[in-house]
Short mmCIF file of all heavy atoms in Angstrom, two decimals:
data_model
loop_
_atom_site.label_atom_id
_atom_site.label_comp_id
_atom_site.label_asym_id
_atom_site.label_seq_id
_atom_site.Cartn_x
_atom_site.Cartn_y
_atom_site.Cartn_z
N ALA A 525 5.72 4.38 8.96
CA ALA A 525 5.72 2.95 9.21
C ALA A 525 4.31 2.41 9.46
O ALA A 525 3.97 1.31 9.01
CB ALA A 525 6.63 2.61 10.38
N GLU A 526 3.48 3.18 10.15
CA GLU A 526 2.11 2.74 10.44
C GLU A 526 1.29 2.60 9.15
O GLU A 526 0.46 1.71 9.04
CB GLU A 526 1.42 3.72 11.39
CG GLU A 526 2.04 3.76 12.78
CD GLU A 526 3.38 4.52 12.83
OE1 GLU A 526 3.65 5.36 11.94
OE2 GLU A 526 4.15 4.24 13.75
N LYS A 527 1.55 3.47 8.18
CA LYS A 527 0.83 3.37 6.91
C LYS A 527 1.30 2.16 6.10
O LYS A 527 0.51 1.52 5.42
CB LYS A 527 0.99 4.66 6.10
CG LYS A 527 0.20 5.80 6.69
CD LYS A 527 0.15 6.98 5.76
CE LYS A 527 -0.75 8.07 6.35
NZ LYS A 527 -1.00 9.14 5.42
N VAL A 528 2.59 1.85 6.21
CA VAL A 528 3.11 0.66 5.55
C VAL A 528 2.44 -0.58 6.16
O VAL A 528 2.02 -1.49 5.44
CB VAL A 528 4.65 0.57 5.68
CG1 VAL A 528 5.16 -0.75 5.11
CG2 VAL A 528 5.32 1.75 4.97
N ALA A 529 2.30 -0.60 7.48
CA ALA A 529 1.64 -1.72 8.15
C ALA A 529 0.19 -1.85 7.68
O ALA A 529 -0.31 -2.97 7.46
CB ALA A 529 1.70 -1.56 9.66
N MET A 530 -0.49 -0.73 7.49
CA MET A 530 -1.87 -0.76 6.98
C MET A 530 -1.91 -1.28 5.54
O MET A 530 -2.84 -1.97 5.14
CB MET A 530 -2.51 0.63 7.06
CG MET A 530 -2.86 1.04 8.48
SD MET A 530 -4.01 -0.10 9.32
CE MET A 530 -5.44 0.04 8.28
N ASP A 531 -0.88 -0.95 4.76
CA ASP A 531 -0.80 -1.46 3.39
C ASP A 531 -0.69 -2.99 3.39
O ASP A 531 -1.30 -3.66 2.56
CB ASP A 531 0.40 -0.87 2.65
CG ASP A 531 0.25 0.62 2.36
OD1 ASP A 531 -0.88 1.14 2.44
OD2 ASP A 531 1.28 1.26 2.05
N VAL A 532 0.06 -3.53 4.36
CA VAL A 532 0.16 -4.98 4.50
C VAL A 532 -1.19 -5.55 4.91
O VAL A 532 -1.68 -6.52 4.32
CB VAL A 532 1.25 -5.38 5.52
CG1 VAL A 532 1.24 -6.89 5.77
CG2 VAL A 532 2.62 -4.92 5.05
N LYS A 533 -1.82 -4.94 5.90
CA LYS A 533 -3.13 -5.41 6.37
C LYS A 533 -4.16 -5.41 5.25
O LYS A 533 -4.97 -6.33 5.13
CB LYS A 533 -3.61 -4.54 7.54
CG LYS A 533 -4.92 -5.00 8.13
CD LYS A 533 -5.32 -4.15 9.32
CE LYS A 533 -6.61 -4.67 9.93
NZ LYS A 533 -7.00 -3.90 11.10
N ASN A 534 -4.13 -4.38 4.41
CA ASN A 534 -5.08 -4.27 3.30
C ASN A 534 -4.67 -5.07 2.07
O ASN A 534 -5.33 -5.00 1.04
CB ASN A 534 -5.27 -2.80 2.93
CG ASN A 534 -6.01 -2.03 4.00
OD1 ASN A 534 -6.92 -2.56 4.64
ND2 ASN A 534 -5.61 -0.79 4.24
N GLU A 535 -3.57 -5.81 2.21
CA GLU A 535 -3.06 -6.70 1.15
C GLU A 535 -2.62 -5.95 -0.10
O GLU A 535 -2.67 -6.48 -1.21
CB GLU A 535 -4.08 -7.80 0.82
CG GLU A 535 -4.39 -8.69 2.01
CD GLU A 535 -5.36 -9.79 1.70
OE1 GLU A 535 -5.98 -9.81 0.60
OE2 GLU A 535 -5.53 -10.67 2.56
N TYR A 536 -2.18 -4.70 0.07
CA TYR A 536 -1.60 -3.96 -1.05
C TYR A 536 -0.16 -4.41 -1.28
O TYR A 536 0.32 -4.41 -2.42
CB TYR A 536 -1.60 -2.45 -0.79
CG TYR A 536 -2.97 -1.85 -0.61
CD1 TYR A 536 -3.17 -0.82 0.30
CD2 TYR A 536 -4.07 -2.31 -1.31
CE1 TYR A 536 -4.41 -0.25 0.48
CE2 TYR A 536 -5.33 -1.75 -1.13
CZ TYR A 536 -5.48 -0.72 -0.23
OH TYR A 536 -6.72 -0.16 -0.05
N ILE A 537 0.54 -4.77 -0.20
CA ILE A 537 1.89 -5.28 -0.26
C ILE A 537 2.02 -6.43 0.73
O ILE A 537 1.18 -6.60 1.61
CB ILE A 537 2.96 -4.19 0.06
CG1 ILE A 537 2.78 -3.64 1.47
CG2 ILE A 537 2.94 -3.08 -0.98
CD1 ILE A 537 3.89 -2.70 1.92
N THR A 538 3.09 -7.21 0.58
CA THR A 538 3.33 -8.32 1.49
C THR A 538 4.24 -7.87 2.64
O THR A 538 4.86 -6.80 2.58
CB THR A 538 4.01 -9.49 0.76
OG1 THR A 538 5.31 -9.05 0.32
CG2 THR A 538 3.18 -9.97 -0.42
N VAL A 539 4.37 -8.72 3.65
CA VAL A 539 5.29 -8.46 4.76
C VAL A 539 6.71 -8.33 4.21
O VAL A 539 7.47 -7.46 4.62
CB VAL A 539 5.20 -9.59 5.82
CG1 VAL A 539 6.30 -9.47 6.84
CG2 VAL A 539 3.84 -9.58 6.49
N GLU A 540 7.03 -9.18 3.25
CA GLU A 540 8.36 -9.16 2.65
C GLU A 540 8.61 -7.86 1.89
O GLU A 540 9.71 -7.29 1.95
CB GLU A 540 8.53 -10.36 1.71
CG GLU A 540 8.55 -11.71 2.42
CD GLU A 540 7.16 -12.23 2.80
OE1 GLU A 540 6.14 -11.71 2.29
OE2 GLU A 540 7.10 -13.14 3.63
N GLN A 541 7.61 -7.37 1.18
CA GLN A 541 7.75 -6.10 0.46
C GLN A 541 7.89 -4.93 1.43
O GLN A 541 8.64 -3.99 1.16
CB GLN A 541 6.55 -5.86 -0.47
CG GLN A 541 6.55 -6.77 -1.67
CD GLN A 541 5.25 -6.68 -2.45
OE1 GLN A 541 4.17 -6.74 -1.86
NE2 GLN A 541 5.35 -6.54 -3.76
N ALA A 542 7.16 -4.98 2.53
CA ALA A 542 7.26 -3.92 3.54
C ALA A 542 8.70 -3.82 4.03
O ALA A 542 9.24 -2.72 4.18
CB ALA A 542 6.31 -4.20 4.69
N LYS A 543 9.33 -4.96 4.26
CA LYS A 543 10.71 -4.97 4.74
C LYS A 543 11.68 -4.55 3.65
O LYS A 543 12.51 -3.66 3.85
CB LYS A 543 11.07 -6.37 5.24
CG LYS A 543 12.49 -6.48 5.76
CD LYS A 543 12.80 -7.89 6.23
CE LYS A 543 14.24 -7.99 6.70
NZ LYS A 543 14.56 -9.38 7.10
N ALA A 544 11.58 -5.16 2.47
CA ALA A 544 12.55 -4.91 1.40
C ALA A 544 12.42 -3.52 0.80
O ALA A 544 13.43 -2.85 0.54
CB ALA A 544 12.37 -5.97 0.30
#
Side-chain angles (χ1 to χ4, degrees):
E526 294 75 22
K527 288 191 176 189
V528 174
M530 287 302 297
D531 291 344
V532 174
K533 183 177 182 178
N534 290 323
E535 299 181 351
Y536 299 144
I537 61 173
T538 64
V539 170
E540 293 79 15
Q541 288 171 312
K543 180 180 178 183

